[in-house]
Amino acid sequence: MKLRFFLLVTVFLVGLDKSNSTSKNKFPDYFKFGAATASYQVEGAWNEDGKGENIWDHITHTNPTYVENEDNGDVACDSYHKYKEDVAMLKDLGVDYYRFSLSWSRILPYGVAGSPVNKLGIEYYRNLTQELLDNGIEPMVTLFHWDTPEPLQELGGWPNPEMEEHYAYYARTVFEQLGDLVKIWLTFNEPKQTCLEGYGKGVKAPAFTTTGMADYKCTHTLIKSHAKAYHIYDEEFKSKQGGRVGMVIDTVWFEPASGSEKDAEAAERAIQFTYGWYGNPIILENYPQVMIDRIDERSKQQGFAQSRLPKFSEEEVNYIKGTYDFVALNMYTANYAEWKEETDISDVGYDSDLNVHLFMDDSWEESASSWLRVVPWGLRKTVNWLSKTYNNPEIFITENGVSDRGGIDDPQRINFYREYLSNLVDAIVEDGVNVTRYTAWSLMDNFEWGSGYSEKFGLYSVDFSSPERTRTKKASADYYSQVISTRCLVDSCE
Ligand code: NOJ
């Protein structure tokens, strides 16, 4: 009862604060706007021109009901053939850059270290990149957006430490083949989803459910792979190519469910278990202490001979720390975090290691995705947290956006962008947070993983029933263009 009253008051006050107040602050001149997609979600051409099979091809073909409506990415938006149209859309939007990802299996069909490079795959990405540059749009390239080559999964996938060697070979190949054209590299997209959802909870390919173990091992290998790729770039390419490298990490904002110290502790623990799990080793040093302590202790009590959280050696800690040229954030929504009694010790898993009660407020506006409610002030709080926790780094927002069920007239999306951007510009101008880029997810409707094509995030709609995959501009695209050209969210800025 007390909690409900507190929540009502909080929501009311936040509402009061923001209701009539789209920011009049102007985005600084150096600030850049972009839009994003990812290979499996848009490219299609799943087996064309020598591309190998990846884990999403595999799961959608061998277990079609894994995805809503038995959708798959075999054709998706057909961007493999229609990339010039995509670039024309980006040009029309007026974005400064395009964030897209490379399909590892298109470049290295066998995936493994030392395997042959598919020239046609490289040609596709060179053509796309050149088309962007010819239109004055900067490429921002993600090396890995969840589509592990299937042969590597059959060797055990990310929990297998050997992945570091395979990823290093892939990264070096990509820097060699595309590094003359690309100056911003993102090693991994949302690794928590790869590890926790892919190997812990089974809701993303390859759909394993060994939480509290495989998800930690996956993360361990993945962080080492990131660091290796960073060093390869730094030592072999940076002086010639002059680019920058970072990792995209996602989190929701965790708001304490009450003013109590315990709920504040629960909220901080939750963000340490999400952003900090990846951010701390790379930006600070080692895993967050709260993760180390809790997982060590619970593992001991559960009778494990060693902690379920793998340990970095001192040498590894030093090799990993500092492997970032900017901090990148994907952020969409918020959760309330409430302290709770320790769960039954026999429960082995990430959720019980975290042990925080997380929930969303019914009054927050819904989207088409059950996990995503509209909480604009969460973005301002998240970037402030990053700035404080990681000593005021340069921050890129590499994804932010909202889903609906479709339609060209999309007022909810316009409202979403206006309110999130309003909080972002205030964080920059009023709080002094060093955010320099904002990326809308997504350029166009696409394959939304387990939800298939049912949830639409695009600024452009795509007609998935037509062989042409016809693209149509939505009202939100006009709105975003206007923000980009005026750098203002209202008619006139201060
Ligand atoms: C995060 C992921 O990077 C992207 O692939 C996904 O489509 C969006 N969030 C929306 O869920």
Side-chain angles (χ1 to χ4, degrees), residues 37-51:
T37 61
S39 48
Y40 187 76
Q41 296 181 272
V42 300
E43 281 177 7
W46 80 276
N47 60 355
E48 272 182 58
D49 290 346
K51 178 181 163 294

Side-chain angles (χ1 to χ4, degrees), residues 390-402:
Y390 297 126
N391 310 316
N392 191 27
E394 180 176 2
I395 300 169
F396 298 171
I397 308 294
T398 33
E399 276 182 41
N400 180 238
V402 71

